[in-house]
């Protein structure tokens, strides 16, 4: 059995953006899961606080964890309450607390400080679950713990993971050292993509085994750069061996395809044991990139211009003491070349590296400091509001990066090491009641059109926040008039404006409260089991638009609505 490791950071394609009420942040936070989990959580029973003269200073949270398939209690499940970063009406903020279930699956957290929390249950071999979360990537509803309150009767029903296993073999059928990565379809604000979920490394016999939540998945096998055999020259008639392309192992999708578009999704049900998912690796043509730089002993990274992907991961190399470098096997494509010196700032090559059908030798590469983007955050009409806790960031259209920076007390921020390209700007709100009024760069408002620094940086980014956001609240009910917990409530602007999208999850009583809505015209949805960020996809949302509620809001408007739950087709 092989170990399961975390996904390498360059494979984490997260990123994406929206107003996320749970964090009071307008930014990309993680991609949607390409799977769903059937989660049922019993309604919490709230015991009234004790009399004022004996009221405890903390709350109690208790319940049990069971197997969703068999109903059997689960011992050794870990329960974690994590503060949301917000506060209750009394300005109370919680502290992290966790516990483990007993043999009968029960748990009790007796000294919970007052405050709002996310509540998660997890156990090896099971899909993690948040309180009232309808998907494992959905944080569900917030637990609000008040002093002296007892929150009892919580039930987490964890779904057993599936096991995907097989072997990675070379053309002769011999085992290979490799990483196998599990991907799922997901959404970014720029469209549908795939997201790395988990990975496993092969053992001595080339075997791997990976535990995943129920869902549909893509598999890919990659040979680590330090495990690749020395590339061999391709047999090419009439060509000198030094000029012939090299043969090396490229990442491969199951079943034995180099292209994601020709691969197949693997359905994995709860508790399934999917065996013999074998890869038979083959070699493809690649080309050498070599030359000289002015900084010896530096580290080089070749990053695909279109962003790292399973088919074209970044490559790494080291500069010798004499300033020479060689990347022996690079797949055709267009790349940025970045450099990190032992002591010095990150640098980027002044020209793109374009690999076609021949080696690139004797390159004399000149570098410049990685671009630095500066800016300010101010408030419209009221300079006394604080920028504490705010962030500004940029989610890429085309290079897979998501740089961000905190905003200091004077409203200044600096993004270091931003690659050329096009970006969605976003601003962390810091508190409710605010919305992004404008983001100006080079004399233009780019909040909806995006930032384009493909040709370099020519100014600062200046964000203006308004403290006069609209407020939309209400409740989501099912066909029987019962409140729906853990449902995604989504505001989609008629204009399609990027920063005007809003979403949040209903609480245990089916309530929602979006306090930072930008003025405009919207469609309001209450969607069950929707893929995270899928509401940015107009085609995905078409089947549900007729059931949405049209709504128009101006600054400082307060609207309360009752919404009907809209079922979502399972992916």
């Amino acid at each position: 059995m092989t170990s399961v490791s975390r996904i390498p950071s360059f494979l984490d394609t997260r990123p994406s953006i929206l107003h996320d009420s749970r964090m009071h942040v307008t930014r990309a936070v993680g991609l949607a899961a390409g799977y769903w989990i059937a989660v049922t959580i019993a309604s919490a029973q709230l015991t009234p606080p004790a009399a004022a003269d004996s009221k405890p200073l903390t709350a109690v949270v208790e319940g049990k964890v069971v197997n969703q398939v068999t109903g059997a209690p689960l011992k050794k499940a870990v329960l974690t309450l994590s503060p949301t970063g917000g506060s209750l009406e009394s300005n109370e903020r919680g502290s992290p607390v966790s516990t483990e279930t007993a043999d009968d699956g029960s748990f009790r957290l007796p000294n919970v400080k007052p405050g709002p929390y996310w509540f998660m249950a997890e156990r090896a071999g099971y899909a993690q679950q948040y309180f009232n979360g309808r998907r494992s990537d959905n944080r569900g509803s917030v637990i609000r713990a008040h002093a002296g309150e007892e929150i009892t009767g919580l039930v987490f029903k964890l779904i057993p993971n599936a096991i995907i296993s097989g072997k990675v073999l070379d053309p002769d059928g011999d085992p290979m050292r490799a990483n196998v990565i599990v991907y799922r379809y997901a959404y970014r604000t720029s469209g549908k993509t795939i997201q790395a979920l988990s990975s496993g490394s092969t053992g001595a016999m080339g075997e791997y085994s990976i535990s995943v939540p129920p869902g549909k998945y893509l598999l890919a096998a990659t040979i680590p750069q330090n495990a690749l055999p020395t590339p061999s020259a391709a047999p090419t008639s009439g060509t000198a061996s030094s000029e012939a392309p090299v043969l090396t192992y490229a990442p491969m999708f199951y079943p034995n395809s180099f292209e994601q578009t020709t691969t197949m999704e693997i359905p994995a049900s709860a508790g399934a044991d999917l065996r013999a998912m074998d890869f038979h690796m083959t070699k493809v043509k690649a080309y050498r990139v070599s030359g000289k730089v002015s900084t010896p002993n530096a580290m080089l990274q070749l990053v695909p211009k279109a962003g790292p992907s399973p088919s074209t991961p970044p490559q790494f190399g080291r500069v010798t003491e004499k300033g020479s470098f060689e990347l022996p096997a690079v797949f055709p494509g267009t790349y940025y070349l970045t450099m990190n010196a032992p002591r010095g700032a990150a640098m980027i090559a002044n020209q793109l590296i374009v690999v076609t059908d021949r080696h690139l030798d004797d390159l004399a590469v000149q570098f410049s400091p990685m671009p630095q983007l500066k800016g300010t955050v101010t408030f419209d009409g009221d300079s006394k509001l604080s920028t504490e806790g705010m962030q500004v960031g940029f989610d890429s259209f085309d290079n897979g990066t998501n740089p961000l920076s905190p905003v200091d007390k004077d409203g200044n921020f600096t993004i270091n090491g931003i690659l050329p390209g096009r970006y969605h700007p976003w601003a962390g709100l810091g508190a409710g009641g605010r919305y992004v009024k404008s983001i100006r760069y080079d004399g233009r408002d780019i909040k909806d059109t995006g930032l384009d620094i493909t040709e370099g940086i020519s100014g600062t980014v200046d964000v203006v926040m308004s403290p006069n956001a609209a407020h939309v609240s209400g409740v989501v009910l099912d066909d029987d008039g019962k409140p729906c917990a853990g449902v995604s409530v989504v505001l989609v602007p008629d204009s399609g404006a990027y920063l005007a999208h809003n979403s949040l999850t209903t609480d245990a009583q089916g309530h929602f409260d979006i306090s930072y809505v930008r003025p405009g015209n919207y469609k309001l949805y209450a969607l069950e089991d929707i893929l995270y960020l899928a509401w940015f996809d107009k085609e995905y949302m078409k089947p549900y638009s007729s059931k949405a509620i049209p709504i128009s809001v101006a600054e400082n408007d307060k609207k309360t609505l009752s919404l009907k739950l809209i079922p979502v087709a399972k992916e």
Side-chain angles (χ1 to χ4, degrees), residues 49-323:
D53 58 355
S54 61
K55 183 177 181 180
L57 299 178
T58 58
V60 174
V61 178
E62 62 181 39
K64 63 179 179 179
V65 179
V66 300
N67 183 313
Q68 191 264 352
V69 176
T70 66
L74 292 177
K75 64 181 180 180
K76 297 181 180 179
V78 177
L79 287 298
T80 303
L81 282 168
S82 302
T84 66
S87 62
L88 301 178
E89 293 76 5
S90 59
N91 204 35
E92 294 170 308
R93 293 178 183 268
S95 297
V97 60
S98 63
T99 190
E100 190 174 275
T101 54
D103 289 350
D104 63 354
S106 65
F107 65 86
R108 190 171 192 271
L109 295 160
N111 297 302
V112 178
K113 292 184 178 180
Y117 295 87
W118 305 123
F119 197 15
M120 184 181 71
E122 56 186 340
R123 189 183 189 279
Y126 291 79
Q128 71 176 23
Q129 179 188 309
Y130 282 90
F131 174 67
N132 280 335
R134 292 173 179 253
R135 314 175 68 91
S136 66
D137 67 314
N138 184 320
R139 287 195 177 187
S141 303
V142 171
I143 293 282
R144 300 183 182 276
H146 297 269
E149 187 174 44
E150 292 189 6
I151 303 175
T152 63
L154 300 183
V155 179
F156 285 87
K157 296 183 178 181
L158 301 191
I159 299 180
N161 279 349
I163 302 296
I164 300 175
S165 61
K167 291 185 176 183
V168 180
L169 307 171
D170 71 9
D172 296 323
D174 293 327
M176 295 194 72
R177 178 184 167 194
N179 293 324
V180 177
I181 304 161
V182 180
Y183 292 92
R184 59 191 177 188
Y185 280 111
Y187 279 89
R188 298 186 57 163
T189 53
S190 54
K192 195 172 184 179
T193 183
I194 62 171
Q195 176 193 21
L197 171 70
S198 187
S199 71
S201 56
T202 57
M205 302 303 294
E207 80 283 5
Y208 71 90
S209 179
I210 305 174
S211 175
V212 295
K216 292 181 179 180
Y217 299 102
L218 309 175
L219 298 181
T222 65
I223 309 301
Q225 190 171 343
N226 61 1
L228 283 169
T230 302
S232 57
T236 305
S237 176
T239 302
S241 60
S242 62
E243 297 177 2
V246 298
L247 294 177
T248 190
Y249 290 105
M252 177 177 284
F253 284 94
Y254 180 86
N256 305 317
S257 170
F258 294 115
E259 299 295 332
Q260 174 193 330
T261 54
T262 58
T263 190
M264 59 180 286
E265 281 188 286
I266 299 170
S269 58
D273 187 3
L274 305 177
R275 304 183 184 187
M277 301 291 167
D278 296 344
F279 293 86
H280 299 272
M281 306 298 285
T282 57
K283 292 184 177 182
V284 299
K285 292 179 180 180
Y287 301 89
R288 182 177 59 250
V289 176
S290 65
K292 287 192 174 183
V293 300
S294 60
T295 306
N297 301 317
M299 290 298 299
L300 298 178
Q301 183 177 10
L302 204 59
V303 183
K305 183 176 183 290
S309 73
S311 301
T312 54
Q315 295 200 36
F316 302 88
R318 181 178 290 277
V319 181
T320 68
E321 292 202 7
K322 294 184 178 181

Side-chain angles (χ1 to χ4, degrees), residues 484-560:
C484 297
V487 169
S488 295
V489 176
V490 181
L491 275 169
V492 177
D494 292 352
S495 65
Y498 173 65
L499 289 181
H501 288 75
N502 286 268
S503 81
L504 115 173
T505 304
T506 56
D507 66 16
Q509 288 73 46
H511 294 142
F512 64 91
D513 190 344
I514 307 175
S515 61
Y516 37 78
V517 182
R518 171 174 155 182
N521 300 317
Y522 295 85
K523 286 185 172 63
L524 182 60
Y525 300 79
L527 296 160
E528 180 182 30
D529 292 330
I530 186 173
L531 292 176
Y532 190 58
L533 299 184
W535 44 85
F536 279 94
D537 188 325
K538 292 181 180 179
E539 291 301 314
Y540 185 101
M541 297 298 289
K542 270 185 179 179
Y544 314 112
S545 61
S546 63
K547 299 179 182 179
I549 296 178
I551 181 175
S552 297
V553 293
E555 284 194 339
N556 294 314
D557 272 358
K558 295 185 184 298
K559 298 200 173 184
T560 302

